[in-house]
Amino acid sequence: MRPVVNLLPKVKHRVFYGHPWVFASEIGSVEGSFSPGDVVEVRDPRGRFVCLGYLNPESTITVRVLSREDREIDEGFFRERVRQAVEYRHSLFGVKYPFGQDSGGYRLVYSEGDFLPGLVVDVFAGYVSFQTLTLGIDRWKETLVDAIHEFVSPKGVYERNDAPVRRLEGLNLRAGYLGAPFDPLIEMDENGVTVMVDIQRGQKTGYFLDQSENRLVARKFLSGRSVLDAFSYSGGFGLSALVGGASGVLFMDVSEAALDLCRAAAGRNRFDVEMSFRAANVFDALREFERSGRKFGAVLLDPPAFARSRKMVESALAGYKEVNLRAMKVIEDGGILCTSSCSQHVTAQEFDNMLDEAASDARVVLRVIERRGQRADHPILAGVPETEYLKFRVCQVLKG
Ligand code: SAH
């Protein structure tokens, strides 16, 4: 017998409307014995079946939904979910089977967006970066890795379970090869550019695939322009700008390790234009450019998530406004601003309002050319705002 989670009466439970989470505060009682991470049946206040999910009493998100059908949750279930996730990417990108042979980068599993809460799997030129971020999914690690071998045939698998969010689930942090080791510095193709992925020490899973299509879109507007790639990390945007015919790129990040990845990639693509690399705080550097009168034909902004909770939104918006305003001031008349926010807690509306205010304070007019979000291999579920986080805008900056 499965343990049963009984939902409290008189609550508008989001799980009734397609949302994949049940919070501790929504639960009346749990019947039956269980260990953290076990699969449970969720029932409504009248005792009717709602869904199956896994339970972690240590987490405020106490149940995460696995299935809305009453069925066995076993190895076959997880194998099928992985197969469906891989199938969806094949339909998106038209990659020939298996993914393990492809030189590009793809998110193969995006947690709730693929009905596998807590699981994140990226593939970089055939090498897999693997994360199980919750206790309930961590238990199925072996089954999931087997399924990846079956449907992807990767060249190698690296576990990036060093994400601090695992602590909220009572899990340890760990990282390492799952199987035979390989060179962790991977050369990958992205839209015809060679980029470097450090699967071992790189940020998050090693590379930010959610911006892939935006880098391609940005490229169209950067020909002949001098570009500042601010918050460059491994340089995905700046390298794409060079392919698009930018006259030069300054890669800027506080992290020297990030700039090393930019340098390594720059050396592998034969660009005969000016490239420079600067370890600096973008806020300070923009202030300095403003003082010295240095101008750019385009500034690309892709800062880290400034808001980690809804409570931090106000201060995050102040940070976004400051950096966008300063960027607008160092862009030539008619130049381009590509600006992003990956804070899930900042809505698209709030982001656009912030841009309006920044433009008005900088005394410029913005012509919004593109409004975009994350690539479709990070699928968004309707009614689940937590699955949608990336905002990306291409604007022309006009003095009016
Ligand atoms: N544009 C990148 C992703 C950027 S992630 C891409 O396309 O892949 C955010 C980056 O900002 C990180 O590399 C981090 O090291 C850097 N960063 C954070 N705060 C910074 C600051 N104040 N100044 C400069 N870089 C910063």
Side-chain angles (χ1 to χ4, degrees):
M1 260 284 287
R2 283 186 193 122
V4 173
V5 166
N6 295 303
L7 295 175
L8 283 170
K10 300 196 184 81
V11 176
K12 211 171 167 220
H13 297 284
R14 294 210 296 169
V15 71
F16 293 167
Y17 307 94
H19 200 277
W21 295 346
V22 177
F23 287 94
S25 59
E26 296 179 82
I27 296 173
S29 63
V30 184
E31 289 169 35
S33 64
F34 64 89
S35 318
D38 279 355
V39 174
V40 295
E41 181 175 324
V42 177
R43 290 193 189 152
D44 73 10
R46 291 162 69 180
R48 291 173 303 194
F49 176 90
V50 177
C51 63
L52 300 173
Y54 57 72
L55 176 94
N56 185 354
E58 275 198 50
S59 169
T60 47
I61 303 171
T62 308
V63 179
R64 290 179 197 249
V65 176
L66 286 167
S67 177
R68 288 176 184 272
E69 274 177 82
D70 193 356
R71 51 164 299 169
E72 209 53 56
I73 302 294
D74 52 12
E75 291 181 4
F77 169 84
F78 287 100
R79 181 180 170 274
E80 182 56 17
R81 283 278 199 259
V82 171
R83 194 192 62 75
Q84 286 166 346
V86 172
E87 193 67 39
Y88 171 63
R89 275 65 184 179
H90 275 294
S91 74
L92 284 179
F93 300 114
V95 172
K96 295 206 175 56
Y97 285 89
F99 267 98
Q101 299 300 312
D102 192 87
S103 57
Y106 309 94
R107 175 145 294 187
L108 287 179
V109 180
Y110 175 54
S111 203
E112 274 83 358
D114 283 295
F115 312 105
L116 282 166
L119 180 66
V120 173
V121 181
D122 282 346
V123 60
F124 305 120
Y127 295 95
V128 162
S129 181
F130 178 93
Q131 291 184 319
T132 41
L133 301 174
T134 58
L135 177 67
I137 202 79
D138 193 68
R139 284 213 179 169
W140 297 92
K141 203 168 100 178
E142 228 169 283
T143 303
L144 294 163
V145 172
D146 285 350
I148 288 164
H149 278 288
E150 181 178 351
F151 300 116
V152 179
S153 298
K155 294 179 182 149
V157 181
Y158 194 86
E159 176 181 6
R160 281 301 301 263
N161 275 333
D162 49 355
V165 289
R166 275 174 55 102
R167 292 211 180 93
L168 302 177
E169 291 272 327
L171 290 165
N172 295 332
L173 304 196
R174 50 155 295 147
Y177 295 97
L178 297 176
F182 51 88
D183 182 352
L185 202 57
I186 299 162
E187 265 184 52
M188 179 176 91
D189 176 84
E190 184 179 70
N191 312 314
V193 191
T194 300
V195 297
M196 300 308 292
V197 181
D198 186 343
I199 207 169
Q200 188 171 46
R201 292 198 189 81
Q203 297 180 27
K204 300 281 178 77
T205 59
Y207 189 79
F208 296 101
L209 292 168
D210 50 358
Q211 292 272 31
S212 284
E213 221 163 60
N214 296 335
R215 295 185 186 110
L216 187 62
V217 167
R219 187 191 288 178
K220 289 195 290 185
F221 306 101
L222 303 176
S223 174
R225 298 188 189 272
S226 60
V227 173
L228 169 64
D229 182 357
F231 308 95
S232 65
Y233 181 44
S234 53
F237 274 103
L239 294 162
S240 185
L242 288 166
V243 173
S247 60
V249 173
L250 169 56
F251 295 89
M252 184 179 289
D253 201 287
V254 272
S255 153
E256 267 299 347
L259 292 173
D260 283 343
L261 292 170
C262 294
R263 287 188 192 97
R268 282 166 169 86
N269 297 276
R270 280 170 225 291
F271 301 121
D272 51 4
V273 293
E274 198 198 325
M275 281 177 277
S276 33
F277 308 87
R278 186 165 154 196
N281 179 328
V282 169
F283 287 85
D284 298 340
L286 287 175
R287 217 171 285 135
E288 178 201 314
F289 295 148
E290 196 185 328
R291 259 196 317 264
S292 67
R294 178 158 179 195
K295 298 276 185 200
F296 293 88
V299 176
L300 318 178
L301 290 179
D302 186 15
F306 290 154
R308 302 206 179 278
S309 68
R310 189 65 211 162
K311 281 191 210 113
M312 290 166 74
V313 165
E314 211 171 307
S315 68
L317 284 168
Y320 285 120
K321 182 174 168 188
E322 182 180 351
V323 78
N324 277 278
L325 184 152
R326 293 195 186 283
M328 289 171 199
K329 288 188 173 169
V330 303
I331 296 173
E332 331 169 319
D333 191 12
I336 296 290
L337 172 69
C338 295
T339 184
S340 322
S341 163
C342 59
S343 298
Q344 186 258 311
H345 299 283
V346 172
T347 65
Q349 189 65 60
E350 286 168 330
F351 185 67
D352 287 328
N353 290 348
M354 173 284 295
L355 274 181
D356 289 352
E357 285 177 26
S360 134
D361 288 7
R363 299 182 191 287
V364 297
V365 175
L366 293 183
R367 178 182 278 156
V368 182
I369 306 174
E370 291 275 355
R371 267 208 175 98
R372 304 178 53 87
Q374 67 226 41
R375 194 170 66 173
D377 51 351
H378 298 63
I380 295 163
L381 299 183
V384 190
E386 292 84 355
T387 55
E388 182 169 14
Y389 63 95
L390 188 64
K391 277 83 48 195
F392 176 75
R393 309 285 181 259
V394 179
C395 303
Q396 189 174 27
V397 179
L398 301 159
K399 306 283 170 195

